[in-house]
Amino acid sequence: MIRKGKILVVDDEASLRLLLSNELTRAGYSVEVAADGESALQRVREDFFHVVLLDIILPRMDGVSVLRTIKAEKVLSEIIILTGNATLESAIECIKLGAFEYIRKPYSINELIIQIERAIVHQSSQLDRRLLKERLSKRDGGSDTMVGTSPPMQQLRAMIARVAPTQSTVLILGGSGTGKELVARSIHEKSLVGSKQFVTINCASLPEHLLESELFGYEKGAFTDAKEQKRGLAEIADGGTLFLDEIGEIPHHFQAKLLRFLESGEIRRVGGTKDISLNVRILCATNKPLEELVKAQAFRADLYYRLNVVSILVPLLKTHREDIPLLVSDIIANLGFRKRFHEEALALLAQFDWPGNIRELRNVVERACIMSSHALIKNADLSFLNLSVTPPPVVLQSGESAATTSEPAPTLSLKEVQRRHIVAVLQNVKGHRAKAASILKITPKTLYQKIKDYNIVSVFE
Ligand SMILES: Nc1ncnc2c1ncn2[C@@H]1O[C@H](COP(=O)(O)OP(=O)(O)OP(=O)(O)O)[C@@H](O)[C@H]1O
Ligand SMILES: [Mg+2]
């Protein structure tokens, strides 16, 4: 039997707990009981209850304090006060504190069940609204405007300006963290529907059955939990832009349904019988090589061709390193720090390949700003950068000449010189780490970390 909701009954009177528990279980709810305020609070912190039926006079923490704490901790349960000591003042106070309803004992079980049902419906709509709000405003605190004056960024901007005012579906391609989502927002803002809503759905984060109901919505009764009809994100985006992020992750079976929507502009809610016509601008993005997925038959060719009419390739950061100084200032300003990078530190940043692109740059800048205590960030503050680069492994050979570092080439990075020196020292001491650490005047732990970071594989072990 599918339970209609989880209820926690909090009352100090054992006979009433038993009675309510029986009545509500019979009505189809799953019921737990608590005899005092503190254990009630503990239970709602541990577990999710749709509704808490709360008495006011309770041992070890009264009902009003429980209510106040539950609301302060933003626990999602709805609270129905059920009390024999009703006064107008306490009723007003409880409602002000966020109780859903205030019922006097003796109660009528039918009335109580009606209020529980109302509370559950209210809760689910609140929850939807909250999730939607989070989804609509989901940003990672990064820049809202695209920074960069390099030729690749100029080309990117020109491309955006060209496609934005059209109705075309645009496929945004590029490595991870290159700024695909930012490009999508920028296309939306410059489009004819720029003042309307921009709705994002991340296709990678939902299993297939949820993807369909999230995107297309569902009718009441379409499945067990579908107690109310619900509009999908495509409908919510009607009149504006729908951004399908990580489109390469769409399950094969769902691809046909998506294609149908793209071609006809119509959707059908899960469990529905009629088609709903929408006017939505579609943008999508992926860091997957879609063409290869098509060859491997993981992505439908017809969908690929439909999406690929207009595509934009967002450049890798290593192809426009000259934008790094501007990006760094923008990132620092966005994060709210009052710091800047020394020119040498900027030059150091320009040497890396940035596999995680602008997002990785952002993380590095943030970390340096947090870690350094001064306003001017120098190379020394970036020593942790070793961590983000994985060079090919260096294999230590026994009996091999160790004379690799006597004269470091002037083109080598500091990191590479360090790595070679560590390799040489390790070879001299035949891989004995404690000895090597003592020669290098670092702790064995630091040495261990560096061996790992530099991917040094030793044959002495
Ligand atoms: N041109 C740019 N100027 C300033 N900030 C940028 C630029 N491009 C990207 N960013 C910032 O870099 C971060 C990553 O960008 P975004 O989320 O758009 O990348 P993505 O390509 O969608 O990444 P993923 O592949 O991980 O989904 C964000 O904080 C964004 O604000
Ligand atoms: Mg993205």
Side-chain angles (χ1 to χ4, degrees), residues 56-113:
I56 290 191
I57 298 179
L58 289 170
R60 297 172 68 207
M61 189 170 203
D62 65 89
V64 176
S65 308
V66 175
L67 169 64
R68 192 179 283 126
T69 314
I70 285 181
K71 290 297 162 185
E73 291 182 9
K74 299 206 175 353
V75 172
L76 287 169
S77 310
E78 292 296 342
I79 316 291
I80 296 179
I81 303 287
L82 185 60
T83 178
N85 318 83
T87 62
L88 187 61
E89 292 79 54
S90 76
I92 291 173
E93 188 187 2
C94 289
I95 298 294
K96 266 195 191 154
L97 285 174
F100 181 77
E101 200 41 271
Y102 188 97
I103 296 175
R104 284 161 209 270
K105 291 178 195 162
Y107 61 90
S108 116
I109 184 68
N110 291 338
E111 168 68 9
L112 185 60
I113 287 173

Tab-separated table of all heavy atoms in Angstrom, residues 56-113:
chain	number	residue	atom	x	y	z
A	56	ILE	N	0.847	21.641	22.584
A	56	ILE	CA	1.612	22.790	23.085
A	56	ILE	C	2.282	22.513	24.418
A	56	ILE	O	3.466	22.774	24.602
A	56	ILE	CB	0.719	24.055	23.167
A	56	ILE	CG1	0.413	24.506	21.739
A	56	ILE	CG2	1.448	25.159	23.922
A	56	ILE	CD1	-0.223	25.843	21.635
A	57	ILE	N	1.519	21.942	25.358
A	57	ILE	CA	2.141	21.682	26.660
A	57	ILE	C	2.803	20.314	26.623
A	57	ILE	O	2.151	19.281	26.509
A	57	ILE	CB	1.099	21.776	27.790
A	57	ILE	CG1	0.556	23.210	27.798
A	57	ILE	CG2	1.732	21.430	29.142
A	57	ILE	CD1	-0.487	23.472	28.840
A	58	LEU	N	4.114	20.343	26.660
A	58	LEU	CA	4.894	19.106	26.513
A	58	LEU	C	6.047	19.115	27.499
A	58	LEU	O	6.572	20.182	27.814
A	58	LEU	CB	5.498	19.047	25.102
A	58	LEU	CG	4.589	18.805	23.915
A	58	LEU	CD1	5.369	19.041	22.630
A	58	LEU	CD2	4.054	17.382	23.932
A	59	PRO	N	6.478	17.928	27.946
A	59	PRO	CA	7.672	17.916	28.788
A	59	PRO	C	8.925	18.214	27.956
A	59	PRO	O	8.919	17.993	26.739
A	59	PRO	CB	7.704	16.479	29.332
A	59	PRO	CG	6.734	15.695	28.523
A	59	PRO	CD	5.856	16.622	27.778
A	60	ARG	N	9.994	18.655	28.609
A	60	ARG	CA	11.325	18.874	27.993
A	60	ARG	C	11.260	19.738	26.746
A	60	ARG	O	11.798	19.402	25.755
A	60	ARG	CB	11.984	17.546	27.635
A	60	ARG	CG	12.283	16.639	28.819
A	60	ARG	CD	12.743	15.293	28.341
A	60	ARG	NE	14.040	15.355	27.701
A	60	ARG	CZ	14.423	14.500	26.772
A	60	ARG	NH1	13.619	13.552	26.363
A	60	ARG	NH2	15.606	14.605	26.261
A	61	MET	N	10.614	20.829	26.713
A	61	MET	CA	10.539	21.766	25.598
A	61	MET	C	9.101	21.810	25.103
A	61	MET	O	8.566	20.825	24.577
A	61	MET	CB	11.433	21.353	24.428
A	61	MET	CG	11.539	22.426	23.358
A	61	MET	SD	12.851	21.922	22.210
A	61	MET	CE	13.311	23.443	21.528
A	62	ASP	N	8.494	22.980	25.274
A	62	ASP	CA	7.070	23.076	24.912
A	62	ASP	C	6.877	23.216	23.397
A	62	ASP	O	7.845	23.468	22.664
A	62	ASP	CB	6.432	24.272	25.638
A	62	ASP	CG	7.041	25.561	25.164
A	62	ASP	OD1	6.534	26.134	24.186
A	62	ASP	OD2	8.077	25.984	25.741
A	63	GLY	N	5.654	23.029	22.953
A	63	GLY	CA	5.335	23.007	21.528
A	63	GLY	C	5.698	24.288	20.794
A	63	GLY	O	6.186	24.235	19.657
A	64	VAL	N	5.499	25.433	21.454
A	64	VAL	CA	5.822	26.701	20.771
A	64	VAL	C	7.322	26.784	20.484
A	64	VAL	O	7.736	27.197	19.397
A	64	VAL	CB	5.339	27.908	21.624
A	64	VAL	CG1	5.746	29.218	20.969
A	64	VAL	CG2	3.821	27.857	21.785
A	65	SER	N	8.140	26.332	21.439
A	65	SER	CA	9.587	26.359	21.193
A	65	SER	C	9.972	25.375	20.093
A	65	SER	O	10.859	25.644	19.276
A	65	SER	CB	10.366	25.984	22.450
A	65	SER	OG	9.942	26.769	23.517
A	66	VAL	N	9.316	24.222	20.079
A	66	VAL	CA	9.597	23.252	19.005
A	66	VAL	C	9.269	23.891	17.656
A	66	VAL	O	10.062	23.847	16.712
A	66	VAL	CB	8.772	21.951	19.191
A	66	VAL	CG1	8.969	21.002	18.012
A	66	VAL	CG2	9.163	21.249	20.482
A	67	LEU	N	8.099	24.520	17.592
A	67	LEU	CA	7.670	25.173	16.351
A	67	LEU	C	8.681	26.234	15.925
A	67	LEU	O	9.111	26.283	14.770
A	67	LEU	CB	6.290	25.808	16.581
A	67	LEU	CG	5.772	26.762	15.507
A	67	LEU	CD1	5.552	26.012	14.200
A	67	LEU	CD2	4.446	27.414	15.950
A	68	ARG	N	9.085	27.052	16.887
A	68	ARG	CA	10.017	28.136	16.569
A	68	ARG	C	11.330	27.551	16.030
A	68	ARG	O	11.861	28.018	15.021
A	68	ARG	CB	10.262	28.968	17.828
A	68	ARG	CG	10.984	30.261	17.538
A	68	ARG	CD	11.198	31.108	18.784
A	68	ARG	NE	9.985	31.799	19.202
A	68	ARG	CZ	9.443	31.728	20.419
A	68	ARG	NH1	10.008	30.976	21.340
A	68	ARG	NH2	8.348	32.395	20.733
A	69	THR	N	11.830	26.494	16.673
A	69	THR	CA	13.100	25.898	16.239
A	69	THR	C	12.967	25.268	14.851
A	69	THR	O	13.828	25.435	13.999
A	69	THR	CB	13.551	24.822	17.250
A	69	THR	OG1	13.409	25.370	18.554
A	69	THR	CG2	14.961	24.402	17.010
A	70	ILE	N	11.879	24.558	14.642
A	70	ILE	CA	11.680	23.908	13.333
A	70	ILE	C	11.680	24.956	12.227
A	70	ILE	O	12.312	24.795	11.182
A	70	ILE	CB	10.350	23.121	13.324
A	70	ILE	CG1	10.511	21.826	14.138
A	70	ILE	CG2	9.910	22.795	11.898
A	70	ILE	CD1	9.269	20.957	14.168
A	71	LYS	N	11.007	26.065	12.450
A	71	LYS	CA	10.940	27.110	11.417
A	71	LYS	C	12.298	27.784	11.248
A	71	LYS	O	12.719	28.069	10.135
A	71	LYS	CB	9.851	28.139	11.760
A	71	LYS	CG	8.441	27.573	11.624
A	71	LYS	CD	8.161	27.171	10.174
A	71	LYS	CE	6.979	26.211	10.082
A	71	LYS	NZ	6.720	25.702	8.735
A	72	ALA	N	12.979	28.024	12.392
A	72	ALA	CA	14.285	28.688	12.304
A	72	ALA	C	15.275	27.808	11.551
A	72	ALA	O	16.131	28.293	10.824
A	72	ALA	CB	14.814	28.996	13.698
A	73	GLU	N	15.149	26.496	11.706
A	73	GLU	CA	16.082	25.591	11.033
A	73	GLU	C	15.633	25.248	9.619
A	73	GLU	O	16.235	24.426	8.940
A	73	GLU	CB	16.241	24.305	11.868
A	73	GLU	CG	16.986	24.572	13.159
A	73	GLU	CD	17.202	23.314	13.995
A	73	GLU	OE1	16.923	22.201	13.513
A	73	GLU	OE2	17.656	23.469	15.142
A	74	LYS	N	14.574	25.893	9.185
A	74	LYS	CA	14.051	25.719	7.824
A	74	LYS	C	13.727	24.256	7.493
A	74	LYS	O	13.923	23.783	6.367
A	74	LYS	CB	15.019	26.290	6.783
A	74	LYS	CG	15.256	27.782	6.945
A	74	LYS	CD	15.663	28.407	5.628
A	74	LYS	CE	15.804	29.907	5.624
A	74	LYS	NZ	15.398	30.662	6.786
A	75	VAL	N	13.277	23.541	8.515
A	75	VAL	CA	12.795	22.178	8.278
A	75	VAL	C	11.519	22.299	7.446
A	75	VAL	O	10.716	23.210	7.659
A	75	VAL	CB	12.497	21.472	9.624
A	75	VAL	CG1	11.826	20.141	9.400
A	75	VAL	CG2	13.788	21.295	10.407
A	76	LEU	N	11.357	21.389	6.466
A	76	LEU	CA	10.255	21.585	5.521
A	76	LEU	C	8.894	21.097	6.012
A	76	LEU	O	7.871	21.367	5.399
A	76	LEU	CB	10.586	20.877	4.200
A	76	LEU	CG	11.659	21.587	3.368
A	76	LEU	CD1	12.105	20.695	2.231
A	76	LEU	CD2	11.153	22.915	2.845
A	77	SER	N	8.871	20.350	7.133
A	77	SER	CA	7.582	19.809	7.602
A	77	SER	C	6.575	20.920	7.879
A	77	SER	O	6.940	21.988	8.370
A	77	SER	CB	7.795	19.040	8.901
A	77	SER	OG	8.839	18.136	8.783
A	78	GLU	N	5.299	20.641	7.578
A	78	GLU	CA	4.239	21.575	7.978
A	78	GLU	C	3.815	21.215	9.397
A	78	GLU	O	3.739	20.041	9.761
A	78	GLU	CB	3.039	21.459	7.034
A	78	GLU	CG	3.322	21.951	5.611
A	78	GLU	CD	3.637	23.432	5.536
A	78	GLU	OE1	3.327	24.181	6.495
A	78	GLU	OE2	4.214	23.856	4.507
A	79	ILE	N	3.495	22.231	10.180
A	79	ILE	CA	3.134	21.985	11.576
A	79	ILE	C	1.652	22.283	11.779
A	79	ILE	O	1.178	23.371	11.433
A	79	ILE	CB	3.909	22.929	12.529
A	79	ILE	CG1	5.381	23.015	12.141
A	79	ILE	CG2	3.700	22.500	13.988
A	79	ILE	CD1	6.153	21.765	12.378
A	80	ILE	N	0.938	21.295	12.322
A	80	ILE	CA	-0.442	21.534	12.748
A	80	ILE	C	-0.463	21.441	14.272
A	80	ILE	O	-0.057	20.422	14.833
A	80	ILE	CB	-1.415	20.518	12.114
A	80	ILE	CG1	-1.431	20.708	10.585
A	80	ILE	CG2	-2.827	20.689	12.696
A	80	ILE	CD1	-2.344	19.747	9.854
A	81	ILE	N	-0.885	22.527	14.900
A	81	ILE	CA	-0.969	22.525	16.366
A	81	ILE	C	-2.289	21.862	16.757
A	81	ILE	O	-3.337	22.164	16.175
A	81	ILE	CB	-0.936	23.978	16.909
A	81	ILE	CG1	0.322	24.703	16.435
A	81	ILE	CG2	-1.071	23.979	18.435
A	81	ILE	CD1	1.600	24.271	17.102
A	82	LEU	N	-2.192	20.941	17.701
A	82	LEU	CA	-3.392	20.227	18.163
A	82	LEU	C	-3.364	20.298	19.676
A	82	LEU	O	-2.556	19.629	20.318
A	82	LEU	CB	-3.309	18.779	17.680
A	82	LEU	CG	-4.510	17.893	17.947
A	82	LEU	CD1	-5.764	18.438	17.295
A	82	LEU	CD2	-4.242	16.485	17.412
A	83	THR	N	-4.199	21.164	20.238
A	83	THR	CA	-4.029	21.421	21.668
A	83	THR	C	-5.346	21.463	22.440
A	83	THR	O	-6.385	21.835	21.891
A	83	THR	CB	-3.248	22.741	21.890
A	83	THR	OG1	-3.136	22.978	23.286
A	83	THR	CG2	-3.940	23.908	21.253
A	84	GLY	N	-5.258	21.073	23.706
A	84	GLY	CA	-6.415	21.149	24.593
A	84	GLY	C	-6.419	22.450	25.373
A	84	GLY	O	-7.374	22.790	26.046
A	85	ASN	N	-5.305	23.192	25.293
A	85	ASN	CA	-5.193	24.415	26.080
A	85	ASN	C	-5.259	25.640	25.173
A	85	ASN	O	-4.434	26.531	25.259
A	85	ASN	CB	-3.865	24.446	26.831
A	85	ASN	CG	-3.541	23.102	27.417
A	85	ASN	OD1	-3.006	22.228	26.718
A	85	ASN	ND2	-3.911	22.917	28.665
A	86	ALA	N	-6.233	25.617	24.276
A	86	ALA	CA	-6.272	26.675	23.268
A	86	ALA	C	-6.652	28.022	23.884
A	86	ALA	O	-7.631	28.123	24.606
A	86	ALA	CB	-7.278	26.307	22.196
A	87	THR	N	-5.833	29.025	23.552
A	87	THR	CA	-6.254	30.395	23.850
A	87	THR	C	-6.058	31.163	22.548
A	87	THR	O	-5.270	30.754	21.697
A	87	THR	CB	-5.376	31.057	24.925
A	87	THR	OG1	-4.041	31.122	24.407
A	87	THR	CG2	-5.402	30.301	26.236
A	88	LEU	N	-6.744	32.290	22.441
A	88	LEU	CA	-6.634	33.081	21.224
A	88	LEU	C	-5.189	33.551	21.024
A	88	LEU	O	-4.642	33.483	19.922
A	88	LEU	CB	-7.592	34.273	21.294
A	88	LEU	CG	-7.696	35.074	20.004
A	88	LEU	CD1	-8.210	34.190	18.869
A	88	LEU	CD2	-8.632	36.271	20.209
A	89	GLU	N	-4.561	33.962	22.150
A	89	GLU	CA	-3.185	34.485	22.040
A	89	GLU	C	-2.234	33.417	21.511
A	89	GLU	O	-1.438	33.656	20.623
A	89	GLU	CB	-2.640	34.972	23.401
A	89	GLU	CG	-3.302	36.204	23.962
A	89	GLU	CD	-4.635	35.854	24.600
A	89	GLU	OE1	-4.659	34.961	25.469
A	89	GLU	OE2	-5.660	36.430	24.194
A	90	SER	N	-2.340	32.204	22.089
A	90	SER	CA	-1.394	31.173	21.653
A	90	SER	C	-1.669	30.785	20.204
A	90	SER	O	-0.743	30.524	19.436
A	90	SER	CB	-1.433	29.960	22.580
A	90	SER	OG	-2.578	29.176	22.320
A	91	ALA	N	-2.947	30.798	19.812
A	91	ALA	CA	-3.254	30.486	18.410
A	91	ALA	C	-2.600	31.516	17.493
A	91	ALA	O	-1.943	31.161	16.504
A	91	ALA	CB	-4.770	30.481	18.193
A	92	ILE	N	-2.750	32.797	17.835
A	92	ILE	CA	-2.169	33.851	16.997
A	92	ILE	C	-0.654	33.706	16.960
A	92	ILE	O	-0.028	33.769	15.900
A	92	ILE	CB	-2.568	35.246	17.535
A	92	ILE	CG1	-4.070	35.445	17.314
A	92	ILE	CG2	-1.784	36.350	16.829
A	92	ILE	CD1	-4.621	36.702	17.937
A	93	GLU	N	-0.066	33.442	18.106
A	93	GLU	CA	1.390	33.318	18.148
A	93	GLU	C	1.877	32.176	17.256
A	93	GLU	O	2.819	32.324	16.476
A	93	GLU	CB	1.856	33.087	19.594
A	93	GLU	CG	3.369	33.147	19.700
A	93	GLU	CD	3.898	32.763	21.077
A	93	GLU	OE1	3.093	32.405	21.952
A	93	GLU	OE2	5.130	32.815	21.233
A	94	CYS	N	1.203	31.028	17.345
A	94	CYS	CA	1.633	29.865	16.549
A	94	CYS	C	1.501	30.132	15.047
A	94	CYS	O	2.387	29.772	14.262
A	94	CYS	CB	0.818	28.629	16.921
A	94	CYS	SG	1.233	28.008	18.552
A	95	ILE	N	0.408	30.757	14.653
A	95	ILE	CA	0.241	31.036	13.219
A	95	ILE	C	1.305	32.024	12.754
A	95	ILE	O	1.909	31.863	11.687
A	95	ILE	CB	-1.193	31.574	12.923
A	95	ILE	CG1	-2.244	30.525	13.301
A	95	ILE	CG2	-1.330	32.010	11.459
A	95	ILE	CD1	-2.231	29.246	12.477
A	96	LYS	N	1.579	33.007	13.602
A	96	LYS	CA	2.634	33.970	13.252
A	96	LYS	C	3.985	33.288	13.101
A	96	LYS	O	4.795	33.650	12.259
A	96	LYS	CB	2.759	35.020	14.361
A	96	LYS	CG	1.941	36.269	14.096
A	96	LYS	CD	2.426	37.356	15.037
A	96	LYS	CE	1.488	38.536	15.014
A	96	LYS	NZ	1.564	39.279	16.299
A	97	LEU	N	4.222	32.293	13.938
A	97	LEU	CA	5.510	31.578	13.874
A	97	LEU	C	5.570	30.624	12.686
A	97	LEU	O	6.606	30.022	12.437
A	97	LEU	CB	5.723	30.786	15.168
A	97	LEU	CG	6.116	31.605	16.393
A	97	LEU	CD1	6.155	30.723	17.642
A	97	LEU	CD2	7.485	32.241	16.191
A	98	GLY	N	4.476	30.456	11.981
A	98	GLY	CA	4.527	29.650	10.765
A	98	GLY	C	3.810	28.313	10.855
A	98	GLY	O	3.989	27.454	9.980
A	99	ALA	N	2.979	28.116	11.923
A	99	ALA	CA	2.197	26.877	11.962
A	99	ALA	C	1.192	26.907	10.817
A	99	ALA	O	0.694	27.974	10.443
A	99	ALA	CB	1.468	26.757	13.301
A	100	PHE	N	0.909	25.749	10.254
A	100	PHE	CA	-0.023	25.719	9.113
A	100	PHE	C	-1.466	25.879	9.587
A	100	PHE	O	-2.280	26.549	8.967
A	100	PHE	CB	0.148	24.401	8.350
A	100	PHE	CG	-0.758	24.306	7.156
A	100	PHE	CD1	-0.457	24.999	5.989
A	100	PHE	CD2	-1.924	23.536	7.195
A	100	PHE	CE1	-1.299	24.930	4.884
A	100	PHE	CE2	-2.767	23.467	6.099
A	100	PHE	CZ	-2.448	24.164	4.939
A	101	GLU	N	-1.783	25.226	10.736
A	101	GLU	CA	-3.175	25.266	11.216
A	101	GLU	C	-3.170	25.072	12.723
A	101	GLU	O	-2.187	24.586	13.293
A	101	GLU	CB	-3.961	24.146	10.497
A	101	GLU	CG	-5.447	24.249	10.453
A	101	GLU	CD	-5.991	25.646	10.194
A	101	GLU	OE1	-6.203	26.373	11.159
A	101	GLU	OE2	-6.228	25.978	9.010
A	102	TYR	N	-4.251	25.478	13.357
A	102	TYR	CA	-4.342	25.414	14.814
A	102	TYR	C	-5.674	24.768	15.146
A	102	TYR	O	-6.728	25.302	14.812
A	102	TYR	CB	-4.267	26.845	15.345
A	102	TYR	CG	-4.145	26.971	16.837
A	102	TYR	CD1	-2.903	27.138	17.435
A	102	TYR	CD2	-5.265	26.957	17.654
A	102	TYR	CE1	-2.772	27.288	18.819
A	102	TYR	CE2	-5.148	27.097	19.029
A	102	TYR	CZ	-3.898	27.260	19.600
A	102	TYR	OH	-3.779	27.413	20.957
A	103	ILE	N	-5.634	23.573	15.738
A	103	ILE	CA	-6.874	22.819	15.958
A	103	ILE	C	-7.024	22.515	17.451
A	103	ILE	O	-6.044	22.189	18.127
A	103	ILE	CB	-6.843	21.494	15.149
A	103	ILE	CG1	-6.794	21.819	13.641
A	103	ILE	CG2	-8.070	20.634	15.453
A	103	ILE	CD1	-6.641	20.600	12.773
A	104	ARG	N	-8.256	22.669	17.925
A	104	ARG	CA	-8.511	22.388	19.353
A	104	ARG	C	-8.895	20.939	19.583
A	104	ARG	O	-9.555	20.345	18.744
A	104	ARG	CB	-9.751	23.178	19.814
A	104	ARG	CG	-9.554	24.613	20.041
A	104	ARG	CD	-10.953	25.267	20.020
A	104	ARG	NE	-10.824	26.631	19.546
A	104	ARG	CZ	-10.620	27.640	20.355
A	104	ARG	NH1	-10.593	27.462	21.637
A	104	ARG	NH2	-10.471	28.850	19.864
A	105	LYS	N	-8.510	20.433	20.748
A	105	LYS	CA	-9.031	19.146	21.176
A	105	LYS	C	-10.328	19.414	21.947
A	105	LYS	O	-10.407	20.456	22.618
A	105	LYS	CB	-8.042	18.460	22.122
A	105	LYS	CG	-6.765	18.014	21.447
A	105	LYS	CD	-5.863	17.406	22.517
A	105	LYS	CE	-4.447	17.266	22.029
A	105	LYS	NZ	-3.474	17.085	23.114
A	106	PRO	N	-11.302	18.581	21.943
A	106	PRO	CA	-11.347	17.348	21.158
A	106	PRO	C	-11.499	17.673	19.662
A	106	PRO	O	-12.235	18.574	19.300
A	106	PRO	CB	-12.583	16.641	21.704
A	106	PRO	CG	-13.461	17.742	22.214
A	106	PRO	CD	-12.544	18.809	22.704
A	107	TYR	N	-10.779	16.917	18.874
A	107	TYR	CA	-10.767	17.175	17.421
A	107	TYR	C	-11.734	16.226	16.730
A	107	TYR	O	-12.114	15.184	17.296
A	107	TYR	CB	-9.362	16.955	16.879
A	107	TYR	CG	-8.883	15.537	17.085
A	107	TYR	CD1	-9.116	14.554	16.115
A	107	TYR	CD2	-8.224	15.164	18.259
A	107	TYR	CE1	-8.704	13.250	16.337
A	107	TYR	CE2	-7.812	13.859	18.467
A	107	TYR	CZ	-8.053	12.913	17.504
A	107	TYR	OH	-7.655	11.626	17.700
A	108	SER	N	-12.151	16.563	15.519
A	108	SER	CA	-12.884	15.589	14.717
A	108	SER	C	-11.880	14.991	13.734
A	108	SER	O	-11.127	15.731	13.087
A	108	SER	CB	-14.043	16.270	13.969
A	108	SER	OG	-13.837	16.197	12.587
A	109	ILE	N	-11.822	13.685	13.669
A	109	ILE	CA	-10.788	13.052	12.830
A	109	ILE	C	-10.947	13.455	11.360
A	109	ILE	O	-9.966	13.657	10.661
A	109	ILE	CB	-10.735	11.504	13.026
A	109	ILE	CG1	-9.582	10.884	12.225
A	109	ILE	CG2	-12.039	10.842	12.634
A	109	ILE	CD1	-8.216	11.254	12.725
A	110	ASN	N	-12.194	13.619	10.927
A	110	ASN	CA	-12.380	14.016	9.527
A	110	ASN	C	-11.808	15.402	9.260
A	110	ASN	O	-11.124	15.626	8.262
A	110	ASN	CB	-13.865	14.002	9.146
A	110	ASN	CG	-14.383	12.581	9.106
A	110	ASN	OD1	-13.595	11.640	8.953
A	110	ASN	ND2	-15.695	12.420	9.280
A	111	GLU	N	-12.093	16.311	10.173
A	111	GLU	CA	-11.554	17.678	10.053
A	111	GLU	C	-10.026	17.639	10.059
A	111	GLU	O	-9.352	18.281	9.251
A	111	GLU	CB	-12.090	18.519	11.214
A	111	GLU	CG	-11.427	19.855	11.405
A	111	GLU	CD	-11.719	20.833	10.270
A	111	GLU	OE1	-12.585	20.539	9.413
A	111	GLU	OE2	-11.073	21.885	10.238
A	112	LEU	N	-9.465	16.831	10.957
A	112	LEU	CA	-8.014	16.732	11.067
A	112	LEU	C	-7.415	16.228	9.750
A	112	LEU	O	-6.419	16.769	9.248
A	112	LEU	CB	-7.665	15.787	12.219
A	112	LEU	CG	-6.175	15.674	12.537
A	112	LEU	CD1	-5.605	17.028	12.913
A	112	LEU	CD2	-5.934	14.681	13.675
A	113	ILE	N	-8.032	15.215	9.161
A	113	ILE	CA	-7.492	14.652	7.912
A	113	ILE	C	-7.580	15.675	6.778
A	113	ILE	O	-6.647	15.806	5.970
A	113	ILE	CB	-8.220	13.333	7.564
A	113	ILE	CG1	-7.731	12.254	8.545
A	113	ILE	CG2	-7.947	12.901	6.126
A	113	ILE	CD1	-8.471	10.947	8.461
